[in-house]
Amino acid sequence: MKRMNIAEFFQKKGVKRFIIFGLIVLILYLMRSMINLILLTFIFAFLMDRLVEFTAKRIPINRKILAVMLYTLIVGLLTWGLVKYLPIITMEISQLVKRITAFYAEPHDNVVINYIESIIASKQITAYLENGLSFLLKYFSDISKTSVQVLIALLLSLFFLLEKPRLKEFTSKFKDSKIAPFYYEIEFFAQKFTRTFGKVIEAQFIIAIVNCTLTVISLVILGFPQIFGLAILIFFLGLIPVAGVIISLVPLCLIAYTIGGFIKVIYVVVAIMIIHGVEAYILNPKLMSSKTDLPVFYTFIVLIFSQNFFGVWGLIIGIPIFVFLLDVLGVTNKEIQVETRK
């Protein structure tokens, strides 16, 4: 009777789902050395699949041919950009690091500046900024390793798109196999993951691109130096929900103060506030449902923990993973949806 009760306990759907989810987490932990490749492959595959679907609705062309054309275009643009602008970007990011470091090292007589420095130093903003700058400098300096990972991820995502119908057909065969219970649970998590993590990442990328474009235009008008380096920094910080805007203000205000004093700082703050208003009142309502709009307190708590566990990646994937877990736990009754503008 006792054995039967134990067997029945493990046969419960909730228990099986929890155990399988734990196994998935354990497998990912054991594969943590490959986490960059796994995340890049998923992000590329998801975003490119959405781009192919978006383009296919407007251009009547074979899906496989369209996918190859889009990948060729993107890889070509990336290669051209790296060959032409990589030395400039690396130099400008190094100069940004030196400029910000020099600013902190110099003594300031201004009470306001000293007060702001103390606030920044006492918060997580300094850690995020240092991690972000070192992350960019490391990746653009060690471009060979990064390029290999990006290339493999692009190839894997391309093969996924080219064989997507065949992959679905082959994977469906596991429904009638001896591991069918595992298949159904993995399918459940995969659907949740795609619907939440993937689409929130998609929205973050679109918002980051728009924010980066508007901010760079503003910085060019204000006469900022190192525009290429700042553009890369602003784009990556734009991938961090809510906190990215606040963190990006730190280097921008420091540079503004060094080149134009408080007047330039005011101009930068006003420009960022306008751009943030565009994001908050136009982009977010269009790209995300209200179910993904976490309170600011929750957002910062998730970012702090995810940054400590996953490093710089945690700042980008922390919120999507948290939204995915909320969906799995059934915290929201309605399906979380993230839609792109049609």
Side-chain angles (χ1 to χ4, degrees):
M1 191 66 162
K2 195 171 184 179
R3 289 181 180 178
M4 183 63 69
N5 289 336
I6 295 174
E8 288 177 356
F9 174 77
F10 283 103
Q11 286 297 320
K12 289 181 178 179
K13 190 173 183 178
V15 175
K16 285 196 298 183
R17 183 162 292 173
F18 179 79
I19 292 172
I20 292 171
F21 183 74
L23 287 174
I24 294 172
V25 172
L26 177 62
I27 292 170
L28 289 174
Y29 176 77
L30 295 174
M31 297 173 64
R32 61 189 180 278
S33 61
M34 296 177 62
I35 197 67
N36 284 350
L37 182 60
I38 294 170
L39 286 171
L40 286 172
T41 302
F42 175 81
I43 291 171
F44 287 154
F46 185 87
L47 294 179
M48 289 303 297
D49 184 52
R50 297 282 289 180
L51 181 60
V52 169
E53 287 182 3
F54 177 83
T55 310
K57 291 177 181 178
R58 288 154 180 80
I59 302 176
I61 189 172
N62 182 273
R63 181 185 172 88
K64 290 185 178 180
I65 296 174
L66 182 60
V68 172
M69 288 173 61
L70 287 173
Y71 268 89
T72 303
L73 176 64
I74 290 173
V75 171
L77 288 173
L78 284 174
T79 304
W80 174 78
L82 286 174
V83 171
K84 187 169 183 179
Y85 295 108
L86 178 62
I88 300 173
I89 293 171
T90 304
M91 180 186 68
E92 290 193 356
I93 291 175
S94 300
Q95 289 175 351
L96 282 175
V97 174
K98 291 177 182 177
R99 183 185 288 269
I100 294 171
T101 304
F103 183 88
Y104 274 106
E106 292 177 1
H108 300 285
D109 297 329
N110 193 296
V111 178
V112 177
I113 294 295
N114 290 331
Y115 178 70
I116 293 172
E117 281 186 358
S118 66
I119 292 175
I120 292 172
S122 64
K123 305 295 180 183
Q124 288 288 328
I125 292 176
T126 304
Y128 293 161
L129 188 59
E130 288 175 355
N131 286 337
L133 288 170
S134 61
F135 174 82
L136 291 176
L137 189 59
K138 174 187 172 185
Y139 270 64
F140 280 99
S141 301
D142 189 15
I143 196 66
S144 57
K145 182 179 178 182
T146 308
S147 299
V148 170
Q149 289 182 334
V150 171
L151 180 60
I152 294 173
L154 282 170
L155 284 174
L156 288 173
S157 62
L158 174 61
F159 293 148
F160 172 81
L161 291 186
L162 293 178
E163 294 192 309
K164 187 177 177 182
R166 188 180 174 190
L167 285 171
K168 285 184 176 180
E169 181 183 353
F170 179 80
T171 308
S172 65
K173 294 178 181 179
F174 287 96
K175 289 181 179 180
D176 302 319
S177 67
K178 294 181 180 179
I179 58 170
F182 287 91
Y183 170 83
Y184 284 110
E185 296 305 324
I186 292 173
E187 182 184 45
F188 167 80
F189 289 120
Q191 289 175 351
K192 293 276 189 184
F193 192 76
T194 303
R195 193 179 64 204
T196 53
F197 181 94
K199 292 185 178 180
V200 173
I201 281 286
E202 176 191 9
Q204 286 181 196
F205 264 86
I206 295 172
I207 291 171
I209 290 170
V210 175
N211 279 351
C212 179
T213 303
L214 295 176
T215 305
V216 167
I217 292 171
S218 302
L219 296 182
V220 170
I221 294 172
L222 292 172
F224 268 61
Q226 291 96 36
I227 290 297
F228 284 109
L230 284 173
I232 298 295
L233 180 66
I234 291 165
F235 173 74
F236 278 99
L237 289 176
L239 294 173
I240 305 172
V242 182
V245 176
I246 300 172
I247 298 169
S248 67
L249 267 176
V250 176
L252 294 181
C253 288
L254 294 181
I255 296 170
Y257 181 77
T258 59
I259 65 175
F262 275 111
I263 296 297
K264 192 75 75 172
V265 172
I266 292 171
Y267 289 156
V268 169
V269 171
V270 171
I272 296 299
M273 286 176 63
I274 293 171
I275 293 168
H276 181 62
V278 171
E279 174 191 338
Y281 297 105
I282 298 177
L283 292 179
N284 274 340
K286 291 288 183 182
L287 298 174
M288 294 189 182
S289 72
S290 59
K291 301 301 178 186
T292 59
D293 290 338
L294 299 173
V296 175
F297 176 79
Y298 272 92
T299 299
F300 276 96
I301 291 296
V302 170
L303 289 175
I304 290 169
F305 277 94
S306 59
Q307 189 270 333
N308 286 330
F309 280 107
F310 302 110
V312 176
W313 267 117
L315 297 175
I316 299 173
I317 66 172
I319 297 299
I321 287 178
F322 186 68
V323 174
F324 161 69
L325 292 175
L326 290 179
D327 197 24
V328 169
L329 295 172
V331 175
T332 54
N333 294 324
K334 295 181 180 179
E335 182 176 305
I336 296 174
Q337 294 180 344
V338 184
E339 299 177 355
T340 56
R341 183 180 298 176
K342 297 182 180 178

